[in-house]
Amino acid sequence: MSTAKKTVVRQGFKTGEFVVYPSHGVGQITAIEEQEVAGFKLELFVVSFAKDKMTLRVPTAKAASVGLRKLADTDIVGKALSTLTGRARIKRTMWSRRAQEYEAKINSGDLVAIAEVVRDLYRSEAQPEQSYSERQLYEAAIDRMTREISAVEEITETEALKKIEGQLAKSPRRAGKGEAAEAADAEDGDDDLQEEAA
């Protein structure tokens, strides 16, 4: 095999391209390899996640079924950023149940769903501290969002994070209204559930 780097395309993905793997976020296809497994030749995307120092091998034929996708387009990024300025929708269910839902949204690889988690778990300086598990989920979601926006817009992760934080600052319940805002949210709780069901 020659060592010259040439671009290889499979299933609409090409080597060198940044992609999103649902449960790990943004990675880069560094190569397409062939391996023999139980007598069958298998073609694999080699996806590298530099920040996590991890490499995944995904069979090219299974790329779609595992949810491997191209980076979000600018419309989706715009929609995700505008999601951040909306009102937080916090269901009045037990935290463990909400945490599972947030985790599922983060691992869906859907940028807008991830933005919803960031919006719902964000706390401004004036608001009460997050619990450890809320903070973990919030950081996982904001990290995924930052990496994808950084890759799509070809800006640094720091710039992408500033963009996200700028949007969060515009959302309605951030200006230290404290308990009044919480009470208003409690009244809105039923409406939110109906909207989600719709």
Side-chain angles (χ1 to χ4, degrees):
M1 249 174 120
S2 69
T3 52
K5 282 272 186 189
K6 65 181 206 298
T7 303
V8 184
V9 180
R10 291 288 183 284
Q11 308 286 328
F13 295 103
K14 58 182 185 281
T15 49
E17 171 176 34
F18 283 97
V19 291
V20 175
Y21 187 85
S23 54
H24 298 293
V26 176
Q28 185 174 25
I29 297 177
T30 53
I32 295 175
E33 296 179 342
E34 260 191 19
Q35 276 186 4
E36 197 165 308
V37 181
F40 291 99
K41 271 197 178 358
L42 203 57
E43 198 173 51
L44 305 162
F45 286 120
V46 179
V47 185
S48 169
F49 299 85
K51 198 168 180 180
D52 302 324
K53 295 179 177 62
M54 178 180 80
T55 303
L56 277 183
R57 283 173 171 71
V58 182
T60 56
K62 289 210 180 327
S65 63
V66 298
L68 191 72
R69 67 167 172 83
K70 292 182 174 291
L71 291 174
D73 60 28
T74 49
D75 289 352
I76 302 278
V77 169
K79 191 173 176 194
L81 286 168
S82 66
T83 297
L84 298 176
T85 62
R87 289 179 67 95
R89 296 192 180 189
I90 304 196
K91 290 184 180 176
R92 300 281 173 236
T93 54
M94 284 175 60
W95 166 247
S96 59
R97 173 95 184 272
R98 284 203 328 260
Q100 283 178 330
E101 289 174 12
Y102 289 142
E103 184 109 22
K105 281 183 174 185
I106 293 168
N107 289 328
S108 71
D110 177 336
L111 192 60
V112 176
I114 294 168
E116 289 169 4
V117 176
V118 171
R119 174 197 69 199
D120 292 352
L121 293 178
Y122 172 73
R123 292 278 188 280
S124 69
E125 307 300 305
Q127 289 175 299
E129 267 300 292
Q130 289 171 311
S131 70
Y132 177 75
S133 54
E134 276 183 309
R135 182 113 205 110
Q136 293 287 96
L137 285 167
Y138 174 73
E139 286 176 357
I142 205 161
D143 183 57
R144 289 277 175 89
M145 201 172 170
T146 300
R147 287 197 217 179
E148 187 157 0
I149 290 172
S150 155
V152 171
E153 299 193 353
E154 296 176 1
I155 56 178
T156 66
E157 286 188 21
T158 307
E159 290 168 316
L161 183 59
K162 281 195 175 119
K163 204 169 196 173
I164 292 167
E165 288 171 340
Q167 288 296 103
L168 285 167
K170 295 178 192 170
S171 60
R173 57 184 270 226
R174 305 305 176 217
K177 287 180 270 178
E179 289 170 31
E182 290 293 327
D185 273 356
E187 288 167 25
D188 287 350
D190 296 338
D191 299 340
D192 292 343
L193 291 174
Q194 286 166 351
E195 281 177 39
E196 285 181 28

